[in-house]
């Protein structure tokens, strides 16, 4: 606990040193805590929340983030990075995230600078340093600061601080852009992103908080938290989900027996015999 207190103090000290900051805000666990502490440390007049409104962000998440920024008392603006206009990004190479973050944060930096904010912050944390994240290189090239990472705060610690502060995001499942559901090499289009969003809304409405619909052409591969897998095998629910995902445009619906895990499309298992069960 003492170490956590010291890391939180280090984070607040870093924010104080920056003085005037724009926070890349998504409404997720990390950026919400960062925004809250920036507001507490610097005051409302020296903090700006910037939300990237893209087709890769579900509309429900965008609306929730805007409501949360208002609840926190943060001035908030939205920017459209237009990443689908970039043919390299749209081609969906393995470093897609680099091209996305480069364009997205360039838009945030421009919008922030126009309002007198020269420091842009993102919500990367200590756990992210060990993951495959090409987007980190783009942030470093653009000079974006990652105070949570600098303070060596892990996701679990960020949740603990968020819980103590009463933030509604403390136990929110991990977020990732909708494009992360598309295998590399499959072009990213508005239509596919909208199809994935609709499919995941079906699962959310059925009560699955943590879920992913991986897009494999006419196949939807569902990932759920391992403890939630048996529930989808209920005949009535299985038939309902299958029917609604087919209505969303998928011909086949499969349940991944390994369950949800981050970066599953980076895994070699994608080409080495994926275990799945039609549902």
């Amino acid at each position: 606990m003492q170490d956590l207190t010291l890391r939180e103090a280090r984070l607040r000290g870093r924010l104080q040193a920056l003085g005037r900051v724009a926070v890349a805000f998504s409404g997720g666990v990390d950026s919400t805590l960062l925004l809250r502490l920036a507001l507490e440390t610097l005051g409302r007049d020296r903090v700006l929340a910037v939300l990237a409104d893209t087709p890769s962000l579900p509309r429900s998440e965008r609306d929730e983030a805007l409501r949360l920024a208002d609840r926190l008392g943060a001035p908030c603006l939205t920017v459209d990075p237009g990443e689908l206009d970039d043919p390299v990004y749209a081609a969906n190479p393995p470093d897609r995230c680099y091209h996305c973050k480069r364009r997205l944060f360039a838009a945030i930096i421009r919008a922030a600078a126009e309002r007198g904010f020269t420091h842009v912050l993102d919500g990367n944390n200590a756990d992210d340093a060990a993951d495959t994240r090409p987007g980190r290189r783009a942030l470093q090239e653009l000079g974006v600061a990652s105070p949570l990472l600098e303070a060596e705060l892990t996701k679990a610690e960020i949740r603990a601080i968020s819980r103590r502060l009463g933030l509604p995001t403390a136990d929110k499942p991990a977020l990732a852009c909708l494009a992360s559901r598309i295998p590399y090499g499959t072009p990213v289009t508005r239509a596919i992103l909208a199809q994935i969003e609709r499919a995941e809304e079906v699962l959310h409405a059925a009560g699955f908080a943590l879920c992913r619909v991986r897009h494999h052409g006419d196949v939807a591969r569902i990932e759920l938290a391992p403890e939630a897998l048996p529930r989808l095998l209920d005949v009535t629910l299985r038939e309902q989900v299958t029917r609604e995902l087919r209505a969303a445009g998928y011909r086949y619906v499969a349940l991944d027996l390994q369950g949800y895990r981050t970066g599953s499309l980076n895994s070699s298992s994608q080409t080495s015999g994926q275990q799945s069960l039609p549902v």
Side-chain angles (χ1 to χ4, degrees):
M1 180 60 72
Q2 183 178 5
D3 287 345
L4 178 55
T5 301
L6 290 174
R7 284 194 285 277
E8 183 180 345
R10 187 187 310 160
L11 170 59
R12 291 179 183 271
R14 173 62 167 146
L15 292 170
Q16 189 68 54
L18 291 170
R20 187 173 169 84
V21 302
V23 177
F25 182 63
S26 67
V29 181
D30 303 322
S31 65
T32 297
L33 177 64
L34 184 59
L35 181 59
R36 167 66 181 271
L37 294 183
L39 289 165
E40 284 187 5
T41 304
L42 301 172
R44 187 177 188 275
D45 293 339
R46 295 199 290 170
V47 177
L48 176 68
V50 187
L51 175 69
D53 187 2
T54 86
S56 288
L57 178 68
R59 302 300 84 188
S60 59
E61 291 293 340
R62 178 200 61 185
D63 295 345
E64 183 179 331
L66 291 173
R67 287 192 296 269
L68 182 53
D70 182 65
R71 174 176 170 178
L72 293 174
C76 184
L77 64 91
T78 61
V79 296
D80 178 6
E83 72 270 34
L84 286 174
D85 296 331
D86 178 357
V88 178
Y89 167 86
N92 199 13
D95 64 346
R96 178 200 67 238
C97 190
Y98 168 80
H99 299 284
C100 173
K101 295 297 187 185
R102 180 87 195 186
R103 194 174 183 107
L104 186 154
F105 275 88
I108 290 176
I109 289 169
R110 285 195 300 271
E114 289 170 0
R115 292 158 179 81
F117 292 86
T118 55
H119 297 292
V120 172
L121 317 181
D122 89 300
N124 275 284
N125 63 58
D127 292 336
D128 297 327
D131 197 6
T132 302
R133 291 179 181 264
R136 282 286 305 151
R137 178 163 58 94
L139 303 189
Q140 292 165 354
E141 291 173 356
L142 292 169
V144 175
S146 302
L148 298 173
L149 176 58
E150 293 171 21
E152 301 179 340
L153 286 166
T154 66
K155 176 72 80 172
E157 291 169 337
I158 289 166
R159 290 189 185 280
I161 297 172
S162 299
R163 205 168 289 119
R164 174 169 57 78
L165 294 175
L167 293 176
T169 51
D171 297 307
K172 186 173 183 176
L175 299 174
C177 76
L178 293 173
S180 67
R181 281 55 153 180
I182 305 173
Y184 297 131
T186 299
V188 180
T189 68
R190 288 182 182 273
I192 290 177
L193 293 172
Q195 183 180 11
I196 296 168
E197 180 176 1
R198 181 179 174 187
E200 291 192 354
E201 285 175 351
V202 170
L203 295 173
H204 291 311
F208 297 102
L210 180 59
C211 64
R212 297 287 188 269
V213 174
R214 307 295 184 184
H215 179 92
H216 299 276
D218 58 2
V219 177
R221 176 168 60 85
I222 298 173
E223 292 181 11
L224 302 174
E227 63 273 14
L229 292 175
R231 182 166 169 257
L232 191 54
L233 298 181
D234 171 80
V235 173
T236 301
L237 184 57
R238 186 181 73 206
E239 290 178 350
Q240 174 191 331
V241 168
T242 300
R243 182 171 59 253
E244 295 188 23
L245 263 65
R246 284 177 174 166
Y250 291 104
R251 185 176 181 184
Y252 304 104
V253 181
L255 176 62
D256 190 317
L257 296 183
Q258 293 185 45
Y260 167 74
R261 63 262 186 219
T262 60
S264 73
L265 288 178
N266 291 326
S267 171
S268 60
S269 66
Q270 296 305 302
T271 57
S272 62
Q274 186 72 44
Q275 289 181 305
S276 60
L277 177 69
V279 298

